[in-house]
Amino acid sequence: MRTRSLLALAGTVTALTVAAAVPASADGGAVLTTGGVGGTAVAVGDTLTAPLAAGTTATLYSSATGTSGVSCTSSQFTATVTGNPAAPGAASESVTGHTFDPSSCTSNVVGVLGVSSITVDNLPYTASVASDGTLSVSPASGSTIQTTVKLRTLLGSVSCVYRAPGLTGKADNADSSIAFTNQQFTKVSGSSLCFASGYFTAKYAPVTDGGAPVFVN
């Protein structure tokens, strides 16, 4: 089911990107900037936010190639910049929020009438955004990335809990986006209506700092 990062995600969740392929790293400039590649450094302590990219959905499906599960059209992540060194390098963030609007979520699973909520648990997560656009999301030590999906079914309310050791995404400077593709979660509790595995896919854009798009250098 598709809450991913949903789930997380987070994902949860959560950071930034590379131009058409790999951003041109400006030696001496910061990894995260606003105003364009090589622009003004994003300050430590700033809050970054991003909604789902226009016209896209966040999905949690039962397989990497399937279309059965949960789909949402409204989701957002919030992260605080905790480190932004000179490029090339890796910026760090604390993912403090990753939400899904249940009114925007639907399910095509037989026996499921609707989605009551999708909650990203165990926040905050730690995110790292490298100059090549690679985004890594990790839980706190001793914890896991976890998402709880509550469904309305013919048999009443059902909670499906999914976990993952971490998430990997990709940032793209072309639209200041971050994307997660088929990030696998494993069910740790829930009825037979909950898939044994969930594959999360979502694209968040634009990632902004005070309304200004963020770029990865």
Side-chain angles (χ1 to χ4, degrees):
M1 308 212 343
R2 180 69 168 292
T3 44
R4 286 358 186 182
S5 346
L6 268 142
L7 304 153
L9 344 325
T12 258
V13 173
T14 321
L16 299 150
T17 93
V18 282
V22 176
S25 297
D27 290 338
V31 173
L32 303 182
T33 60
T34 58
V37 173
T40 303
V42 172
V44 171
D46 280 6
T47 298
L48 308 183
T49 61
L52 281 179
T56 70
T57 57
T59 58
L60 181 59
Y61 287 155
S62 60
S63 70
T65 58
T67 57
S68 178
V70 173
S71 176
C72 300
T73 59
S74 179
S75 176
Q76 178 172 297
F77 79 75
T78 302
T80 300
V81 177
T82 55
N84 189 20
S92 58
E93 302 170 9
S94 175
V95 182
T96 56
H98 192 177
T99 61
F100 297 84
D101 181 355
S103 66
S104 77
C105 301
T106 59
S107 175
N108 58 1
V109 178
V110 175
V112 175
L113 304 177
V115 179
S116 298
S117 66
I118 296 173
T119 305
V120 177
D121 307 311
N122 301 336
L123 292 171
Y125 300 143
T126 297
S128 173
V129 189
S131 290
D132 66 358
T134 300
L135 167 66
S136 301
V137 181
S138 305
S141 177
S143 184
T144 61
I145 289 178
Q146 178 174 298
T147 297
T148 300
V149 182
K150 293 187 177 181
L151 305 172
R152 300 190 304 275
T153 78
L154 294 172
L155 301 177
S157 179
V158 170
S159 292
C160 308
V161 179
Y162 295 90
R163 290 177 182 169
L167 301 175
T168 300
K170 193 69 175 179
D172 187 346
N173 282 341
D175 54 2
S176 291
S177 66
I178 57 169
F180 299 94
T181 303
N182 288 330
Q183 296 299 290
Q184 186 176 3
F185 287 75
T186 300
K187 184 183 78 172
V188 294
S189 68
S191 77
S192 59
L193 290 176
C194 306
F195 299 129
S197 293
Y199 293 80
F200 176 65
T201 297
K203 179 179 179 178
Y204 292 87
V207 177
T208 60
D209 175 11
V214 177
F215 298 83
V216 176
N217 297 266

